[in-house]
Amino acid sequence: MSAGRSAPGAALVGAATEVGSATELGAVISRWVGRAVPHEGYMLAAVDPVTGAGCFLARGHGYTTAAARQLTLGERLNCDHPFPFQRLVAGPCHVGVLNTDGPVRRRSPTMRAVMADLGVGSELRLALVDGGTTWGGLVLLRPRGARPFSPDEASRAQHLARDIVAALRRYATGVPPEPNRLGAPPGVLVLGADETILSATPSARIWIRELETLPAAALAAPDLPMESTIWHLTQSVRGPEEPTPTRGPGMPGLTRVPTPRGWIAIRAQPMPTGAIAVTIQAAAGKELLSAVALWQGLSPRERVVIDHVLEGLSSKQIARRLHVSPHTLNDHLKSIYRKAGVSTREELLSRFLN
């Protein structure tokens, strides 16, 4: 990930190694981006690179939680943004700017109203796409009365995307590629059609605390508030967008979240009543491997090798199947061990099969 990286970009990636939470990572990235594109507020969201569902979020002086959800719903249900993230991801230009005082654009009245209510005058949104994979998105904000984001600044932001992705990946790969070690039983939530939490097991609060996105006072309240990562996952299974093999209306949703103690899996499953059941627990096995493989940068050939290892094939059998020499296979295995943070085949099997 570091080949050809500029000195400032390398410094950002190095700083991402030192942070202890997604909130700290967001602040580091905001300060770094601010040297080229000054802004007042920001929201940084990373997504599970396999499913596209949100996996961690950081914000500072940006939209409130309520406003962010209102905008997400407006964009999802009414296409109420001139630059929806789906289009930015798919298009040749991954950045868009909306100014409240600019020319009126079709399908953006709710967006403009929310921005005006919060005193936001200009929004720059950047889809974080690199190597054909979507890793997240960054939203930068300026208040009303300030200079709006310019086309030159939008271009600068797009040029920063690769280094921002590298910082996200460095943060995620700093988490041990293993199941979270909290040791609590799976947490279960049932969400009503109006997104209120109808019921929750005691362990659900413990797992949500592990996500480090809600303050302690909110977690201690009798009525558990909705956590952002869970909310975005439930929207992905409720939403009207066209289904894909990994997500879409009526299909189970899945995201894997890196935490200091390992990885957490959150699943959302629609119920016939219109409610959604959510489970939170340690991510394990091949389910964890598929996400870690992308975060860690395993090559397609390394993915094939590791799949054969997990099937229990010997090195000689794998080399024969792949038509490679034992020396070449050994090089692949060394690279896999390094990226997975293990030293032996036994450790690899223990990490992803147990």
Side-chain angles (χ1 to χ4, degrees):
M1 287 189 289
S2 60
R5 193 167 311 289
S6 66
L12 172 65
V13 174
T17 307
E18 304 298 325
V19 302
S21 68
T23 299
E24 292 177 20
L25 176 68
V28 166
I29 290 176
S30 173
R31 286 194 297 270
W32 184 81
V33 171
R35 299 172 185 174
V37 187
H39 53 275
E40 177 95 358
Y42 71 91
M43 290 195 302
L44 173 71
V47 302
D48 183 310
V50 179
T51 65
C55 64
F56 58 85
L57 173 71
R59 59 160 58 92
H61 306 291
Y63 295 125
T64 64
T65 299
R69 291 178 182 175
Q70 183 179 354
L71 294 177
T72 299
L73 287 173
E75 181 176 327
R76 186 180 301 278
L77 299 176
N78 306 315
C79 302
D80 193 30
H81 197 290
F83 304 106
F85 270 111
Q86 266 190 324
R87 193 201 309 169
L88 293 179
V89 165
C93 180
H94 299 311
V95 63
V97 173
L98 176 63
N99 300 318
T100 55
D101 298 328
V104 175
R105 288 183 176 269
R106 184 171 62 92
R107 294 180 174 176
S108 60
T110 302
M111 179 77 201
R112 288 171 175 274
V114 171
M115 290 172 68
D117 286 346
L118 295 177
V120 176
S122 185
E123 179 199 271
L124 182 153
R125 54 171 53 189
L126 173 66
L128 299 173
V129 181
D130 187 50
T133 299
T134 303
W135 302 94
L138 177 66
V139 174
L140 305 179
L141 304 174
R142 282 180 180 164
R144 298 199 74 173
R147 177 175 57 86
F149 293 107
S150 67
D152 180 60
E153 288 174 317
S155 177
R156 273 185 252 161
Q158 179 150 325
H159 281 94
L160 298 177
R162 183 168 176 266
D163 287 328
I164 297 171
V165 168
L168 290 178
R169 294 181 66 181
R170 179 58 61 87
Y171 170 74
T173 56
V175 172
E178 61 189 23
N180 182 282
R181 301 183 300 277
L182 179 62
V188 180
L189 301 166
V190 178
L191 280 59
D194 60 355
E195 301 300 334
T196 57
I197 297 176
L198 302 179
S199 59
T201 61
S203 57
R205 290 179 184 262
I206 299 174
W207 282 108
I208 292 173
R209 183 182 299 114
E210 191 76 357
L211 298 175
E212 298 184 338
T213 51
L214 287 178
L219 285 166
D223 294 326
L224 183 64
M226 178 63 69
E227 192 275 335
S228 294
T229 306
I230 296 173
W231 186 84
H232 280 278
L233 182 62
T234 62
Q235 291 307 304
S236 73
V237 301
R238 285 195 195 277
E241 68 266 27
E242 184 177 346
T244 70
T246 57
R247 64 185 297 195
M251 299 175 63
L254 168 66
T255 187
R256 284 144 290 202
V257 183
T259 72
R261 284 195 279 197
W263 289 76
I264 293 174
I266 307 177
R267 300 172 184 82
Q269 175 71 58
M271 301 171 70
T273 60
I276 291 183
V278 175
T279 59
I280 316 171
Q281 63 189 96
K286 290 188 176 182
E287 180 179 79
L288 172 59
L289 174 62
S290 61
V292 167
L294 284 176
W295 284 114
Q296 294 280 2
L298 288 176
S299 69
R301 177 51 62 95
E302 289 170 346
R303 284 295 311 276
V304 173
V305 170
I306 200 171
D307 284 342
H308 287 328
V309 170
L310 296 180
E311 287 175 20
L313 300 182
S314 68
S315 294
K316 184 180 294 186
Q317 289 172 316
I318 297 172
R320 190 180 302 122
R321 277 199 184 185
L322 300 182
H323 305 290
V324 299
S325 70
H327 177 75
T328 298
L329 178 65
N330 190 49
D331 286 341
H332 286 317
L333 288 171
K334 286 180 179 178
S335 177
I336 290 169
Y337 295 162
R338 176 177 54 80
K339 292 175 181 177
V342 300
S343 302
T344 65
R345 175 190 288 252
E346 290 71 26
E347 286 185 68
L348 187 73
L349 290 169
S350 176
R351 175 156 291 176
F352 291 112
L353 290 184
N354 294 340

